[in-house]
Amino acid sequence: MAKSIKIRAKLSGDVTKVKALISHPMETGFRKNKKTGKKIPAHFIQEVVCDVKGNTVFTAQWGPAVSKNPYLAFELKNVAKGDILKLSWVDNKGESASAEAAIR
Amino acid sequence: MKRRTILKGTLAMGVIGTGISAGLLTPRSVLAAWPKSAFSATSVGDALNAMYATDKRDSSSKIHLKAPDIAENGAVVQITVSADMDHHVDAISIIAEKNVNPMAASFQLTEHSNPFVATRIKLGKTSNVIAVVKSNGKLYSTQKEVKVTIGGCGG
C-alpha cells in the first residue's frame, strides 16, 4: 500500500504547502452494479491524519462525498525544512495506509 | 464539545473494539472519533448540530470559497476554502446542500495549520456548496452555487 499515497510538502516563506493524492475507490454505498443490480457497499476514507514529528497538526474527516482517489491540500506553519511529515488514513472497513515525506 | 468527543470516543471503542483485537486498527486512530451522526445527517442543520453542537452561523465575507460555476462532472468538483478571520480558525467544513448527506468533509486545524484547505468532492446535482468555518467559538459560513451537468452519485 506504500504507493497509495503521494505527498508533496514544500516550504516557501514560512508556509508549508502540503498536497496529497490518495488512491482509494471512495464508494458512496448509493451506486448500483449495473450488471447485478446490487448496491456496491460503501467504502470510503473516514479520517486522514497528518503528523509532524509525532504531533498531529491536521486532521481531515471525510464522508463518502469526497471524490474517488482523493486530493487534499492544506497549509502548515511553524514547521521546518527537513521535518518528516506523516500522512495516514483509515477507511470505514478498517483498512489503513500511511506515507512519509520530508518537507522540502 | 470536549465532553461530546469523549462520549463519542467511548462509543466508537465499543464498536471498533473487535477491530483492535484483530490488529486492524491502531489505538490512535480509534481515539479520534469519526462523527458518524454528522456525516449521516440528511439536512445541513442536522449535520452542523452533530458536528459543532449548533447550527447557528453568521455569513462572513472573510471566508473565501473557490468552486467552479459549472461542474461538467459532478463526481469531481474541486473546492478550495481559505479564511482570514480575526481569530485562529479551529475547523473548516465543506457542505453540499443538495447531497443526500450534505456533510462532505470536515477539517480540524491546529496551531500549526493555516486556514486553507482544498479537496475534490462529489455533487449529486446542482447545489449550493457551503463552507463553514469555526473560529473563536462561533460558526461562520459562505456559499456558492455550483451547476452540475452530470451527477456524481448516479450509476
Side-chain angles (χ1 to χ4, degrees):
Chain A
M1 294 293 267
K3 280 188 179 169
S4 70
I5 309 177
K6 279 183 193 164
I7 320 173
R8 183 161 295 176
K10 198 162 193 309
L11 183 77
S12 69
D14 51 4
V15 173
T16 297
K17 195 151 191 172
V18 183
K19 292 178 184 174
L21 265 176
I22 305 170
S23 297
H24 198 282
M26 297 301 283
E27 280 296 344
T28 57
F30 300 129
R31 242 157 49 94
K32 275 184 182 159
N33 182 320
K34 276 176 190 156
K35 279 183 191 153
T36 62
K38 278 186 187 161
K39 275 195 176 175
I40 302 169
H43 187 199
F44 58 93
I45 294 175
Q46 291 186 315
E47 195 165 73
V48 185
V49 177
C50 176
D51 291 320
V52 174
K53 292 198 283 191
N55 290 320
T56 298
V57 292
F58 181 87
T59 309
Q61 293 167 328
W62 287 349
V66 170
S67 299
K68 182 180 174 180
N69 298 333
Y71 167 77
L72 172 67
F74 53 95
E75 289 180 359
L76 298 176
K77 55 189 177 184
N78 306 328
V79 291
K81 210 170 188 168
D83 281 357
I84 300 294
L85 182 141
K86 185 184 171 197
L87 205 67
S88 37
W89 59 257
V90 181
D91 71 18
N92 67 321
K93 292 186 175 177
E95 291 169 15
S96 63
S98 67
E100 290 183 352
I103 294 170
R104 293 193 293 136
Chain B
M1 181 66 200
K2 266 224 172 102
R3 188 176 61 113
R4 220 167 47 87
T5 318
I6 292 164
L7 277 173
K8 281 229 178 93
T10 332
L11 276 178
M13 285 289 239
V15 179
I16 316 177
T18 42
I20 303 174
S21 49
L24 291 171
L25 293 171
T26 59
R28 220 211 124 289
S29 56
V30 172
L31 280 172
W34 183 71
K36 186 174 189 296
S37 52
F39 285 100
S40 56
T42 51
S43 76
V44 175
D46 288 352
L48 284 176
N49 270 319
M51 182 67 81
Y52 298 110
T54 177
D55 63 350
K56 200 174 163 299
R57 53 194 161 99
D58 295 330
S59 119
S60 169
S61 58
K62 291 184 175 175
I63 307 169
H64 311 292
L65 169 63
K66 212 168 101 188
D69 295 322
I70 297 173
E72 279 185 18
N73 182 358
V76 190
V77 183
Q78 173 123 16
I79 309 288
T80 305
V81 181
S82 59
D84 47 26
M85 316 302 282
D86 301 328
H87 294 87
H88 180 72
V89 171
D90 302 307
I92 297 175
S93 290
I94 297 172
I95 297 173
E97 196 175 22
K98 295 275 174 62
N99 274 8
V100 182
N101 304 125
M103 180 64 74
S106 203
F107 305 92
Q108 313 297 323
L109 311 186
T110 66
E111 69 271 23
H112 287 285
S113 344
N114 273 347
F116 169 94
V117 290
T119 190
R120 297 179 191 140
I121 66 166
K122 299 171 198 161
L123 290 176
K125 54 183 166 186
T126 297
S127 168
N128 277 326
V129 171
I130 308 171
V132 177
V133 164
K134 185 186 175 199
S135 176
N136 198 25
K138 279 187 179 164
L139 297 186
Y140 301 91
S141 74
T142 191
Q143 64 184 49
K144 182 182 177 183
E145 191 188 53
V146 178
K147 284 198 164 57
V148 174
T149 43
I150 306 170
C153 293

